Amino acid sequence: MSALTPASEVILRHQDRFLDKQVLFAGDIQDTLPAEFEANVVRVHTAWYHHAKTLRARMAEETVGYGLVASSDMVGQCDTLIYFWPKNKPEAQFQLMNLLSLMPLGSDIFIVGENRSGVRSAEGMLTDYSSLGKIDSARRCGLYHGTLSTQPSFDADEFWNGYQVDDVVVKTLPGVFSRDGLDSGTQLLLSTFTEPVKGAVADIGCGTGVLSAVLAARSPGIKLTLTDAHAPALAAAEATLAANGLTGTVVVSDVYSDLSGRFDMIISNPPFHDGMHTNLQAAESLIRGALAHLRIGGQLRIVANAFLPYPDLLDAVFGNHQVLAQNGRFKVYLSTHQVSRGKDKKR
């Protein structure tokens, strides 16, 4: 069995309870436990594209759902939910209300998560629908169990929120980065755009789409491509563009996995967490793969926490970097795809 998270190891302590069950895995799944799990039926719903891709490589594709909301066909045939608690409580509420509104009454509900993630609040969140109680505690995780006694009503439209940046309307959903307002890192990155932007721009890990929307409002005529692996972020980005009368191509992609073509600029406020844990893989992939997606003379412009080790990587990949702006927490880096880099000399 592949390496599992502590939460998955806690679930395996109770493996025998699931052998005759129709199990749905959902929430913040970060390993391949569903592909290795012993149960009568195993299905998965995830809002993260890269996790869906990993699991589809190990399971029948039709048993792994990806998207903002789960389908009744996926959920309604299951009698047991194993939900991995995310670090974002509003996202947990959105997902659990969606899932439990589709599951049959009497279904077993198992919720597991790291104690520091706030998994304890599951009991209060579901008090009207199930009497949850803790049944295990190990590996700094808690496991809660209950039976679905009342189905909640669910309307995804009720979870939308929004705010404004200058004259740009930003649409947001639970779990999307900067849901409640513009974060200081993105604000610093935007401050470095003192001249109009031209050409094709790729916004990698676009989140709400605020970077693209603000740049397009300042620089009409740019060609936007927005990508993210998180289904709520993609929905928010599409809604942000629509709310401002802007056009752009929104693509589901794990960094560059499903992105084609070359661009004049790549912009990003890349994540450095996966759930509760530090993970620089996405940001490092963003930097390492940038040359293959930039035209000669194209620029990569990113903002990152000042302590992260990106300058050396930028120099190794591009042979150059500048710090355009910085404050006590963040730095904005710019690297340019120069014709003198390696095999691009011949282009």
Side-chain angles (χ1 to χ4, degrees):
M1 181 171 286
S2 61
L4 298 178
T5 64
S8 288
E9 291 179 347
V10 173
I11 290 293
L12 280 182
R13 288 157 60 99
H14 302 265
Q15 171 71 79
D16 290 348
R17 301 182 65 155
F18 303 101
L19 296 177
D20 62 346
K21 298 292 188 178
Q22 285 70 241
V23 176
L24 175 70
F25 282 87
D28 191 24
I29 308 162
Q30 295 186 27
D31 56 30
T32 59
L33 176 64
E36 302 158 359
F37 201 67
E38 295 182 35
N40 188 24
V41 172
V42 176
R43 296 174 179 267
V44 180
H45 175 78
T46 177
W48 290 99
Y49 182 57
H50 54 302
H51 294 318
K53 286 182 64 179
T54 298
L55 290 169
R56 284 172 178 168
R58 303 277 301 274
M59 303 172 64
E61 185 169 349
E62 66 272 14
T63 65
V64 181
Y66 163 78
L68 175 63
V69 295
S71 69
S72 57
D73 289 342
M74 175 68 71
V75 178
Q77 301 178 48
C78 298
D79 58 20
T80 302
L81 172 65
I82 299 178
Y83 183 81
F84 287 76
W85 189 264
K87 68 177 182 180
N88 185 280
K89 182 177 177 180
E91 183 175 25
Q93 184 175 32
F94 178 95
Q95 293 176 347
L96 284 168
M97 294 303 102
N98 171 215
L99 296 166
L100 297 182
S101 72
L102 301 173
M103 295 198 74
L105 291 176
S107 295
D108 283 308
I109 303 168
F110 293 86
I111 298 180
V112 64
E114 294 188 32
N115 294 326
R116 61 176 178 154
S117 71
V119 66
R120 297 178 184 88
S121 60
E123 291 180 279
M125 181 182 292
L126 298 188
T127 187
D128 293 335
Y129 315 108
S130 175
S131 297
L132 290 182
K134 181 182 279 191
I135 62 170
D136 200 355
S137 181
R139 302 299 306 275
R140 299 179 181 176
C141 295
L143 174 62
Y144 297 79
H145 171 256
T147 302
L148 182 62
S149 56
T150 304
Q151 285 182 317
S153 60
F154 174 76
D155 182 354
D157 290 342
E158 295 179 356
F159 289 84
W160 282 95
N161 197 1
Y163 56 91
Q164 285 198 215
V165 177
D166 299 329
D167 294 327
V168 171
V169 176
V170 182
K171 305 296 286 184
T172 70
L173 280 168
V176 180
F177 182 65
S178 291
R179 174 179 179 244
D180 299 318
L182 186 65
D183 65 286
S184 57
T186 300
Q187 188 173 19
L188 185 66
L189 177 55
L190 284 172
S191 74
T192 65
F193 290 95
T194 57
E195 301 290 337
V197 177
K198 298 180 181 179
V201 177
D203 184 354
I204 308 298
C206 61
T208 62
V210 60
L211 274 173
S212 288
V214 171
L215 289 185
R218 295 177 182 176
S219 306
I222 64 173
K223 183 179 180 182
L224 293 174
T225 299
L226 298 79
T227 80
D228 209 294
H230 193 210
L234 294 169
E238 290 179 340
T240 294
L241 292 178
N244 294 282
L246 301 171
T247 59
T249 302
V250 180
V251 179
V252 57
S253 184
D254 179 14
V255 192
Y256 301 114
S257 67
D258 292 66
L259 185 65
S260 59
R262 288 182 178 260
F263 301 88
D264 298 291
M265 180 176 289
I266 295 173
I267 57 175
S268 186
N269 182 353
F272 67 99
H273 285 100
D274 192 352
M276 296 296 298
H277 304 280
T278 299
N279 188 339
L280 305 183
Q281 182 176 347
E284 291 178 353
S285 296
L286 171 74
I287 295 170
R288 294 185 187 279
L291 292 181
H293 293 277
L294 282 171
R295 298 186 175 113
I296 301 299
Q299 297 180 342
L300 172 69
R301 193 178 306 202
I302 64 172
V303 62
N305 286 68
F307 67 86
L308 294 174
Y310 296 149
D312 289 345
L313 181 57
L314 289 166
D315 286 340
V317 173
F318 285 87
N320 66 85
H321 84 273
Q322 304 173 50
V323 177
L324 297 183
Q326 60 183 308
N327 56 28
R329 291 184 59 196
F330 300 101
K331 290 184 179 180
V332 177
Y333 299 103
L334 172 68
S335 289
T336 302
H337 186 3
Q338 298 175 341
V339 70
S340 61
R341 292 298 293 168
K343 64 182 178 181
D344 288 320
K345 292 179 181 180
K346 301 178 182 180
R347 292 182 182 177

